[in-house]
């Protein structure tokens, strides 16, 4: 997977996402070692597009939900706590 992420480029780039203005809690999280959506590439876009800071799960890769499900549950739980 690391080799694919480093050397493959999508020819169907979706372009910029249109995000509707809504007053809802938003959180964007990526794994520290995510080779597809690394923190250094996402941080500015998340801040600019959604107005939130990017969360980074230490020690996780692209499959952060599978790798650290308890951490993700904690992050989501803060919206409802």
């Amino acid at each position: 997977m690391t080799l694919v992420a480093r050397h493959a480029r999508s020819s169907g780039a979706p372009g910029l996402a249109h995000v509707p203005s809504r007053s809802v809690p938003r959180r964007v999280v990526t794994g520290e070692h995510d080779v597809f959506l690394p923190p250094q590439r996402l941080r500015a876009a998340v801040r600019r597009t959604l107005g939130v800071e990017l969360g980074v799960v230490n020690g996780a890769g692209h499959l952060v939900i599978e790798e650290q499900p308890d951490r993700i549950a904690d992050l989501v739980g803060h919206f409802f706590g």
Side-chain angles (χ1 to χ4, degrees):
M1 294 299 277
T2 299
L3 289 174
V4 170
R6 285 185 185 153
H7 302 288
R9 298 292 176 255
S10 171
S11 61
L16 296 175
H18 171 71
V19 180
S21 296
R22 289 190 280 192
S23 181
V24 295
R26 293 179 171 155
R27 183 75 193 245
V28 179
V29 178
T30 190
E32 173 185 26
H33 304 294
D34 189 328
V35 294
F36 292 99
L37 301 168
Q40 63 272 20
R41 289 183 58 200
L42 282 182
R43 190 168 277 112
V46 167
R47 187 179 302 128
R48 181 179 61 252
T49 306
L50 298 173
V52 299
E53 293 301 315
L54 179 68
V56 178
V57 177
N58 294 330
H62 185 68
L63 301 176
V64 65
I65 293 173
E66 297 292 325
E67 296 170 15
Q68 296 192 24
D70 293 338
R71 178 72 178 121
I72 298 301
D74 289 343
L75 290 169
V76 171
H78 287 342
F79 284 120
F80 301 103

Coordinates of all heavy atoms in Angstrom, one line a residue:
M1 N 0.8 -1.2 0.0 CA 0.0 0.0 0.0 C 0.9 1.3 0.0 O 0.5 2.2 -0.6 CB -0.9 0.0 1.2 CG -2.0 -1.1 1.2 SD -3.1 -1.0 -0.2 CE -4.2 0.2 0.4
T2 N 2.0 1.2 0.7 CA 2.9 2.4 0.7 C 3.4 2.7 -0.7 O 3.4 3.8 -1.1 CB 4.0 2.2 1.7 OG1 3.4 2.0 3.0 CG2 5.0 3.3 1.7
L3 N 3.8 1.6 -1.4 CA 4.3 1.8 -2.7 C 3.3 2.4 -3.7 O 3.5 3.3 -4.5 CB 4.9 0.5 -3.3 CG 6.2 0.0 -2.7 CD1 6.5 -1.4 -3.2 CD2 7.3 1.0 -2.9
V4 N 2.0 1.9 -3.5 CA 1.0 2.4 -4.4 C 0.7 3.9 -4.1 O 0.6 4.7 -5.0 CB -0.4 1.6 -4.1 CG1 -1.5 2.3 -4.8 CG2 -0.2 0.2 -4.6
A5 N 0.7 4.3 -2.8 CA 0.5 5.7 -2.5 C 1.6 6.6 -2.9 O 1.3 7.7 -3.3 CB 0.3 5.8 -1.0
R6 N 2.8 6.1 -2.9 CA 3.9 6.9 -3.3 C 4.0 7.1 -4.8 O 4.5 8.1 -5.3 CB 5.2 6.3 -2.8 CG 5.4 6.6 -1.3 CD 6.8 6.1 -0.9 NE 6.9 6.2 0.6 CZ 7.7 5.5 1.3 NH1 8.4 4.5 0.8 NH2 7.7 5.6 2.6
H7 N 3.6 6.1 -5.6 CA 3.9 6.1 -7.0 C 2.7 6.1 -7.9 O 2.9 6.2 -9.1 CB 4.8 4.8 -7.3 CG 6.1 4.8 -6.5 ND1 7.1 5.7 -6.8 CD2 6.4 4.1 -5.5 CE1 8.1 5.5 -5.9 NE2 7.7 4.5 -5.1
A8 N 1.5 5.9 -7.4 CA 0.3 6.0 -8.3 C -0.4 7.3 -8.1 O -0.5 7.9 -7.0 CB -0.6 4.8 -7.9
R9 N -0.9 7.8 -9.2 CA -1.6 9.1 -9.2 C -3.0 8.9 -9.9 O -3.0 8.3 -11.0 CB -0.9 10.2 -9.9 CG 0.5 10.5 -9.3 CD 0.2 11.2 -7.9 NE 1.5 11.4 -7.3 CZ 2.0 10.7 -6.2 NH1 1.3 9.7 -5.8 NH2 3.1 11.0 -5.7
S10 N -4.0 9.3 -9.3 CA -5.3 9.2 -9.8 C -5.5 10.1 -11.1 O -5.1 11.3 -11.1 CB -6.4 9.6 -8.8 OG -7.7 9.6 -9.4
S11 N -6.2 9.6 -12.1 CA -6.4 10.4 -13.3 C -7.8 11.0 -13.1 O -8.2 11.8 -14.0 CB -6.3 9.6 -14.5 OG -7.3 8.5 -14.5
G12 N -8.6 10.7 -12.1 CA -9.9 11.2 -12.0 C -10.0 12.1 -10.8 O -10.9 11.9 -9.9
A13 N -9.1 13.0 -10.6 CA -9.1 13.9 -9.5 C -10.4 14.6 -9.4 O -10.9 15.2 -10.4 CB -7.9 14.9 -9.6
P14 N -11.0 14.6 -8.2 CA -12.4 15.2 -8.1 C -12.4 16.7 -8.0 O -13.5 17.3 -8.2 CB -12.9 14.6 -6.7 CG -11.6 14.4 -6.0 CD -10.6 14.0 -7.0
G15 N -11.3 17.3 -7.9 CA -11.3 18.8 -7.8 C -11.7 19.3 -6.4 O -11.6 18.5 -5.4
L16 N -12.1 20.5 -6.3 CA -12.4 21.0 -5.0 C -13.8 20.6 -4.6 O -14.7 20.6 -5.4 CB -12.3 22.6 -5.0 CG -11.0 23.2 -5.3 CD1 -11.0 24.7 -5.4 CD2 -10.0 22.8 -4.2
A17 N -14.0 20.3 -3.3 CA -15.3 19.9 -2.8 C -16.1 21.2 -2.4 O -15.5 22.1 -1.9 CB -15.1 19.0 -1.6
H18 N -17.4 21.2 -2.7 CA -18.2 22.2 -2.2 C -18.8 21.8 -0.9 O -19.5 20.7 -0.8 CB -19.4 22.5 -3.2 CG -20.4 23.4 -2.7 ND1 -20.2 24.8 -2.5 CD2 -21.7 23.2 -2.3 CE1 -21.2 25.3 -2.0 NE2 -22.1 24.4 -1.8
V19 N -18.5 22.5 0.1 CA -19.0 22.2 1.5 C -20.1 23.2 1.9 O -19.7 24.4 2.0 CB -17.9 22.2 2.5 CG1 -18.4 21.8 3.9 CG2 -16.8 21.2 2.1
P20 N -21.3 22.8 2.1 CA -22.4 23.7 2.4 C -22.1 24.3 3.8 O -21.6 23.7 4.7 CB -23.7 22.9 2.4 CG -23.3 21.5 2.1 CD -21.8 21.4 1.9
S21 N -22.5 25.6 3.9 CA -22.4 26.2 5.2 C -23.5 25.7 6.2 O -24.7 25.9 5.9 CB -22.5 27.8 5.1 OG -21.5 28.3 4.3
R22 N -23.1 25.0 7.2 CA -24.1 24.5 8.2 C -23.4 24.6 9.5 O -22.2 24.4 9.7 CB -24.4 23.1 7.9 CG -25.3 22.9 6.7 CD -25.8 21.6 6.6 NE -24.8 20.7 6.1 CZ -25.0 19.5 5.7 NH1 -26.2 18.9 5.7 NH2 -24.0 18.8 5.2
S23 N -24.2 24.9 10.5 CA -23.7 24.9 11.9 C -23.8 23.6 12.5 O -24.7 23.2 13.3 CB -24.5 25.9 12.7 OG -24.0 26.0 14.0
V24 N -22.8 22.7 12.1 CA -22.7 21.4 12.7 C -21.3 21.1 13.1 O -20.4 21.7 12.5 CB -23.1 20.3 11.7 CG1 -24.6 20.4 11.3 CG2 -22.3 20.3 10.4
P25 N -21.1 20.4 14.2 CA -19.7 20.1 14.6 C -19.0 19.2 13.5 O -19.6 18.3 13.0 CB -19.9 19.3 15.9 CG -21.3 18.9 16.0 CD -22.1 19.7 15.0
R26 N -17.8 19.6 13.2 CA -17.0 18.9 12.2 C -15.7 18.5 12.8 O -15.1 19.4 13.5 CB -16.9 19.7 10.9 CG -18.2 19.9 10.2 CD -18.0 20.8 9.0 NE -19.2 20.8 8.2 CZ -19.5 21.8 7.4 NH1 -18.7 22.8 7.2 NH2 -20.6 21.7 6.7
R27 N -15.2 17.4 12.4 CA -13.9 16.9 12.8 C -13.3 16.1 11.7 O -13.9 15.2 11.1 CB -13.9 16.1 14.1 CG -12.6 15.6 14.7 CD -12.0 16.8 15.4 NE -10.6 16.6 15.7 CZ -10.1 16.5 16.9 NH1 -10.9 16.6 17.9 NH2 -8.8 16.3 17.1
V28 N -12.1 16.5 11.3 CA -11.3 15.7 10.2 C -10.1 15.1 10.9 O -9.4 15.8 11.6 CB -10.9 16.6 9.1 CG1 -10.2 15.8 8.0 CG2 -12.2 17.3 8.4
V29 N -9.9 13.8 10.7 CA -8.8 13.1 11.4 C -8.1 12.3 10.4 O -8.8 11.6 9.5 CB -9.4 12.2 12.5 CG1 -8.3 11.4 13.2 CG2 -10.1 13.1 13.6
T30 N -6.8 12.2 10.5 CA -6.0 11.3 9.6 C -5.0 10.7 10.5 O -4.7 11.1 11.6 CB -5.3 12.1 8.5 OG1 -4.8 11.2 7.6 CG2 -4.3 13.1 9.0
G31 N -4.4 9.6 10.0 CA -3.4 8.9 10.7 C -2.1 9.6 10.5 O -1.8 10.2 9.5
E32 N -1.2 9.6 11.5 CA 0.1 10.2 11.5 C 0.9 9.7 10.3 O 1.7 10.4 9.7 CB 0.8 9.9 12.8 CG 2.3 10.3 12.8 CD 3.0 9.9 14.1 OE1 2.5 8.9 14.8 OE2 3.9 10.5 14.5
H33 N 0.7 8.4 10.0 CA 1.5 7.7 8.9 C 0.7 7.4 7.7 O 1.1 6.6 6.9 CB 2.2 6.5 9.4 CG 3.0 6.7 10.7 ND1 4.2 7.4 10.6 CD2 2.9 6.3 11.9 CE1 4.7 7.5 11.8 NE2 3.9 6.8 12.7
D34 N -0.4 8.1 7.5 CA -1.3 7.9 6.3 C -0.5 8.3 5.1 O -0.2 9.5 4.9 CB -2.6 8.7 6.5 CG -3.6 8.4 5.4 OD1 -3.2 8.0 4.3 OD2 -4.8 8.4 5.8
V35 N -0.3 7.4 4.2 CA 0.4 7.7 3.0 C -0.5 8.2 1.8 O 0.0 8.8 0.9 CB 1.2 6.5 2.4 CG1 2.3 6.1 3.4 CG2 0.3 5.3 2.2
F36 N -1.8 8.0 2.0 CA -2.7 8.5 1.0 C -3.2 9.9 1.3 O -3.4 10.8 0.4 CB -4.0 7.6 0.9 CG -3.6 6.3 0.3 CD1 -3.5 5.2 1.1 CD2 -3.5 6.1 -1.1 CE1 -3.2 3.9 0.6 CE2 -3.2 4.8 -1.6 CZ -3.0 3.7 -0.8
L37 N -3.5 10.2 2.6 CA -4.0 11.5 3.0 C -3.1 12.0 4.2 O -3.6 12.1 5.3 CB -5.4 11.4 3.4 CG -6.4 11.0 2.3 CD1 -7.8 10.6 2.9 CD2 -6.5 12.0 1.2
P38 N -1.8 12.2 4.0 CA -0.9 12.6 5.1 C -1.3 14.0 5.7 O -1.8 14.8 5.0 CB 0.4 12.6 4.4 CG 0.2 12.9 3.0 CD -1.2 12.2 2.7
P39 N -1.0 14.1 6.9 CA -1.3 15.3 7.6 C -0.8 16.6 7.0 O -1.5 17.6 6.9 CB -0.7 15.1 9.0 CG -0.6 13.7 9.2 CD -0.4 13.1 7.9
Q40 N 0.5 16.5 6.5 CA 1.1 17.7 5.9 C 0.4 18.1 4.6 O 0.4 19.3 4.3 CB 2.6 17.5 5.7 CG 3.0 16.4 4.7 CD 3.1 15.0 5.4 OE1 2.6 14.8 6.4 NE2 3.8 14.1 4.7
R41 N -0.3 17.2 3.9 CA -1.0 17.6 2.7 C -2.5 18.1 3.0 O -3.1 18.8 2.3 CB -1.1 16.4 1.7 CG 0.3 16.2 1.1 CD 0.3 15.1 0.1 NE -0.7 15.4 -1.0 CZ -1.2 14.5 -1.8 NH1 -0.8 13.2 -1.7 NH2 -2.0 14.8 -2.7
L42 N -3.0 17.6 4.1 CA -4.4 17.9 4.4 C -4.6 19.1 5.3 O -5.7 19.8 5.2 CB -5.1 16.7 5.2 CG -5.5 15.5 4.5 CD1 -6.1 14.5 5.4 CD2 -6.5 15.8 3.4
R43 N -3.7 19.4 6.1 CA -3.9 20.4 7.2 C -4.4 21.8 6.6 O -5.4 22.3 7.1 CB -2.6 20.7 7.9 CG -2.7 21.5 9.1 CD -1.5 21.5 10.0 NE -1.5 20.3 10.8 CZ -0.7 19.2 10.7 NH1 0.3 19.2 9.8 NH2 -0.8 18.2 11.5
A44 N -3.8 22.3 5.6 CA -4.2 23.6 5.1 C -5.6 23.6 4.4 O -6.4 24.4 4.6 CB -3.2 24.2 4.1
A45 N -5.8 22.5 3.7 CA -7.1 22.4 3.0 C -8.2 22.2 4.0 O -9.3 22.8 3.7 CB -7.0 21.2 2.0
V46 N -8.0 21.5 5.0 CA -9.1 21.3 6.0 C -9.4 22.6 6.7 O -10.5 23.0 6.9 CB -8.7 20.2 7.1 CG1 -9.6 20.2 8.3 CG2 -8.7 18.8 6.4
R47 N -8.4 23.3 7.1 CA -8.5 24.6 7.7 C -9.3 25.6 6.8 O -10.2 26.3 7.2 CB -7.2 25.2 8.1 CG -7.3 26.5 9.0 CD -5.9 27.0 9.4 NE -5.1 26.0 10.1 CZ -3.9 25.7 9.8 NH1 -3.3 26.2 8.8 NH2 -3.3 24.8 10.6
R48 N -8.8 25.7 5.5 CA -9.4 26.6 4.6 C -10.8 26.2 4.2 O -11.7 27.1 4.1 CB -8.5 26.6 3.3 CG -9.0 27.5 2.2 CD -8.1 27.5 1.0 NE -8.0 26.2 0.4 CZ -6.9 25.3 0.4 NH1 -5.9 25.7 1.1 NH2 -7.0 24.2 -0.2
T49 N -11.1 25.0 4.0 CA -12.4 24.5 3.5 C -13.5 24.4 4.6 O -14.6 24.8 4.4 CB -12.3 23.2 2.8 OG1 -11.3 23.3 1.8 CG2 -13.6 22.7 2.2
L50 N -13.0 23.9 5.8 CA -14.0 23.6 6.8 C -13.8 24.5 8.0 O -14.7 24.5 8.9 CB -13.9 22.1 7.3 CG -14.2 21.1 6.2 CD1 -13.9 19.7 6.8 CD2 -15.7 21.2 5.8
G51 N -12.7 25.2 8.1 CA -12.5 26.1 9.2 C -12.2 25.4 10.6 O -12.5 25.9 11.6
V52 N -11.7 24.2 10.4 CA -11.3 23.4 11.6 C -9.9 22.9 11.5 O -9.3 22.9 10.5 CB -12.3 22.1 11.9 CG1 -13.7 22.6 12.0 CG2 -12.1 21.2 10.7
E53 N -9.3 22.6 12.7 CA -8.0 22.1 12.7 C -8.0 20.6 12.4 O -8.9 19.9 12.9 CB -7.3 22.4 14.0 CG -7.0 23.8 14.2 CD -6.2 24.5 13.2 OE1 -5.1 23.9 12.8 OE2 -6.5 25.6 12.7
L54 N -7.0 20.1 11.7 CA -6.9 18.6 11.4 C -6.4 17.9 12.7 O -5.5 18.3 13.4 CB -5.9 18.4 10.3 CG -5.6 17.0 9.9 CD1 -6.8 16.4 9.3 CD2 -4.4 16.9 9.0
G55 N -7.1 16.8 13.0 CA -6.7 15.9 14.1 C -5.8 14.8 13.5 O -6.0 14.3 12.4
V56 N -4.8 14.5 14.3 CA -3.8 13.5 13.8 C -3.7 12.4 14.9 O -3.5 12.7 16.1 CB -2.4 14.1 13.6 CG1 -1.4 13.0 13.1 CG2 -2.5 15.2 12.5
V57 N -4.0 11.2 14.5 CA -3.9 10.0 15.4 C -2.5 9.4 15.3 O -2.1 8.9 14.3 CB -5.0 9.0 15.1 CG1 -4.9 7.8 16.0 CG2 -6.4 9.6 15.2
N58 N -1.8 9.6 16.4 CA -0.4 9.1 16.4 C -0.3 7.6 16.3 O -1.1 6.9 16.8 CB 0.3 9.5 17.8 CG 0.4 11.0 17.9 OD1 0.6 11.7 16.9 ND2 0.4 11.5 19.1
G59 N 0.7 7.2 15.5 CA 0.9 5.8 15.3 C 0.0 5.1 14.3 O 0.1 3.9 14.1
A60 N -1.0 5.8 13.7 CA -1.9 5.2 12.8 C -1.6 5.5 11.4 O -0.9 6.6 11.1 CB -3.3 5.7 13.1
G61 N -2.1 4.7 10.5 CA -1.9 5.0 9.0 C -3.2 5.3 8.4 O -4.1 5.9 9.0
H62 N -3.4 4.9 7.1 CA -4.6 5.2 6.4 C -5.9 4.5 6.9 O -6.9 5.1 6.9 CB -4.4 4.8 4.9 CG -5.5 5.2 4.0 ND1 -5.8 6.5 3.7 CD2 -6.5 4.5 3.4 CE1 -6.9 6.6 2.9 NE2 -7.3 5.3 2.7
L63 N -5.7 3.4 7.5 CA -6.9 2.6 8.0 C -7.0 2.9 9.5 O -7.2 2.0 10.3 CB -6.7 1.2 7.8 CG -6.6 0.8 6.3 CD1 -6.3 -0.7 6.1 CD2 -7.8 1.2 5.5
V64 N -7.0 4.2 9.9 CA -7.1 4.6 11.3 C -8.3 4.0 12.0 O -8.2 3.7 13.2 CB -7.0 6.1 11.4 CG1 -8.1 6.8 10.8 CG2 -6.8 6.5 12.9
I65 N -9.4 3.9 11.3 CA -10.6 3.4 12.0 C -10.4 1.9 12.4 O -10.9 1.5 13.4 CB -11.8 3.5 11.1 CG1 -12.2 5.0 10.9 CG2 -13.0 2.8 11.6 CD1 -13.2 5.3 9.9
E66 N -9.7 1.2 11.6 CA -9.4 -0.2 11.9 C -8.3 -0.4 12.8 O -8.3 -1.3 13.7 CB -9.1 -1.0 10.6 CG -10.2 -1.1 9.6 CD -11.4 -1.9 10.1 OE1 -11.1 -2.9 10.8 OE2 -12.5 -1.6 9.7
E67 N -7.3 0.5 12.7 CA -6.1 0.4 13.6 C -6.3 0.9 15.0 O -5.7 0.3 15.9 CB -5.0 1.3 12.9 CG -4.5 0.8 11.6 CD -3.6 1.7 10.9 OE1 -3.1 2.7 11.5 OE2 -3.4 1.6 9.7
Q68 N -7.1 1.9 15.2 CA -7.4 2.5 16.5 C -8.8 2.9 16.7 O -9.2 4.0 16.9 CB -6.4 3.7 16.7 CG -5.0 3.3 16.7 CD -4.1 4.4 17.2 OE1 -4.5 5.3 18.0 NE2 -2.9 4.4 16.8
P69 N -9.7 1.9 16.7 CA -11.2 2.2 16.8 C -11.6 2.9 18.1 O -12.5 3.7 18.1 CB -11.8 0.8 16.6 CG -10.8 -0.2 16.9 CD -9.5 0.5 16.5
D70 N -10.9 2.5 19.2 CA -11.2 3.2 20.4 C -10.9 4.7 20.4 O -11.7 5.5 21.0 CB -10.5 2.5 21.6 CG -10.9 1.1 21.8 OD1 -12.1 0.8 21.4 OD2 -10.2 0.3 22.4
R71 N -9.8 5.0 19.8 CA -9.4 6.5 19.7 C -10.5 7.2 18.9 O -10.9 8.3 19.2 CB -8.0 6.6 19.1 CG -7.6 8.0 18.9 CD -7.2 8.6 20.2 NE -6.7 10.0 20.0 CZ -7.3 11.1 20.5 NH1 -8.3 11.0 21.3 NH2 -6.8 12.3 20.2
I72 N -10.9 6.6 17.8 CA -11.9 7.3 16.9 C -13.2 7.4 17.7 O -13.9 8.4 17.6 CB -12.1 6.5 15.6 CG1 -10.8 6.5 14.8 CG2 -13.3 7.1 14.8 CD1 -10.3 7.8 14.4
A73 N -13.6 6.4 18.4 CA -14.8 6.4 19.2 C -14.7 7.6 20.3 O -15.7 8.3 20.5 CB -15.1 5.1 19.9
D74 N -13.6 7.7 20.9 CA -13.4 8.8 21.8 C -13.6 10.2 21.1 O -14.2 11.1 21.7 CB -12.0 8.8 22.5 CG -11.9 7.6 23.4 OD1 -12.9 7.1 23.9 OD2 -10.7 7.3 23.8
L75 N -13.0 10.4 19.9 CA -13.1 11.6 19.2 C -14.5 11.9 18.8 O -15.0 13.1 19.0 CB -12.2 11.6 18.0 CG -10.7 11.6 18.2 CD1 -10.0 11.3 16.9 CD2 -10.3 12.9 18.8
V76 N -15.3 10.9 18.4 CA -16.7 11.1 18.0 C -17.5 11.4 19.3 O -18.4 12.2 19.3 CB -17.2 9.9 17.2 CG1 -18.7 10.0 17.0 CG2 -16.5 9.8 15.9
G77 N -17.2 10.7 20.3 CA -17.9 10.9 21.6 C -17.9 12.3 22.1 O -18.8 12.7 22.8
H78 N -16.8 13.0 21.8 CA -16.7 14.4 22.4 C -17.8 15.3 21.8 O -18.1 16.3 22.4 CB -15.3 15.0 22.1 CG -14.3 14.4 22.9 ND1 -14.5 13.7 24.1 CD2 -12.9 14.4 22.8 CE1 -13.3 13.4 24.6 NE2 -12.4 13.7 23.8
F79 N -18.3 14.9 20.6 CA -19.4 15.7 20.0 C -20.7 15.5 20.7 O -21.6 16.4 20.6 CB -19.6 15.4 18.5 CG -18.5 15.9 17.6 CD1 -17.7 15.1 16.9 CD2 -18.3 17.3 17.5 CE1 -16.7 15.7 16.0 CE2 -17.4 17.9 16.7 CZ -16.6 17.0 16.0
F80 N -20.9 14.4 21.4 CA -22.1 14.1 22.0 C -22.1 14.2 23.5 O -23.1 13.9 24.2 CB -22.6 12.7 21.6 CG -22.8 12.6 20.1 CD1 -21.8 12.0 19.3 CD2 -23.8 13.2 19.5 CE1 -22.0 11.9 17.9 CE2 -24.0 13.1 18.1 CZ -23.0 12.5 17.3
G81 N -20.9 14.4 24.1 CA -20.7 14.4 25.5 C -21.0 15.7 26.1 O -21.6 16.1 27.0

